[in-house]
Amino acid sequence: MEDKIFLFNPMEIDYIEAREGQTFLFVNNEEFASSTTIKALEERLQPLGFFRCHRSYLVNLQRVREIIVWSKNSYSLSLDNASKSTIPLSKGNYSKLKELIHL
């Protein structure tokens, strides 16, 4: 941001979103732009408990409180953060997440 580079402990990050050709990190109800692609962040953060829940979202699984099933093809993740964020979970990644957390 401007003339500063912020460094975050990965466990501080709630989720990461790619939109309009940019990547944004959500930390403590604040949004920070990143010059790193979501794919590169996924590769670096996956061993630390991050999961690609949607093509545009990477979520810190430590922050997930609920998996919401809206219909047989519509899912969301509710996060345990101050803003109680809800982010999409794609149908294909719903199965992967269930397998990952042994449901």
Side-chain angles (χ1 to χ4, degrees):
M1 296 188 86
E2 298 173 17
D3 60 346
K4 297 178 186 174
I5 296 173
F6 290 96
L7 304 174
F8 295 109
N9 177 331
M11 294 302 104
E12 293 179 297
I13 301 168
D14 294 326
Y15 65 98
I16 299 165
E17 179 183 5
R19 71 171 182 267
E20 300 172 2
Q22 259 194 303
T23 304
F24 298 91
L25 282 68
F26 290 82
V27 180
N28 298 323
N29 287 331
E30 292 187 68
E31 182 177 318
F32 299 90
S34 173
S35 59
T36 308
T37 66
I38 195 166
K39 179 69 176 160
L41 288 169
E42 177 185 15
E43 290 169 3
R44 291 173 61 185
L45 295 172
Q46 189 174 18
L48 300 173
F50 282 74
F51 177 72
R52 186 74 171 263
C53 59
H54 184 276
R55 64 182 167 90
S56 299
Y57 290 87
L58 183 62
V59 66
N60 180 348
L61 289 175
Q62 300 300 316
R63 298 277 197 248
V64 174
R65 177 60 55 212
E66 299 174 319
I67 300 170
I68 303 166
V69 179
W70 299 105
S71 70
K72 75 175 193 176
N73 293 319
S74 180
Y75 311 94
S76 294
L77 298 174
S78 176
L79 304 187
D80 186 20
N81 60 5
S83 60
K84 304 294 183 205
S85 303
T86 301
I87 59 175
L89 173 62
S90 70
K91 180 182 176 183
N93 288 336
Y94 173 68
S95 299
K96 290 178 187 176
L97 179 59
K98 282 178 51 177
E99 185 178 308
L100 183 67
I101 60 175
H102 306 289
L103 283 179

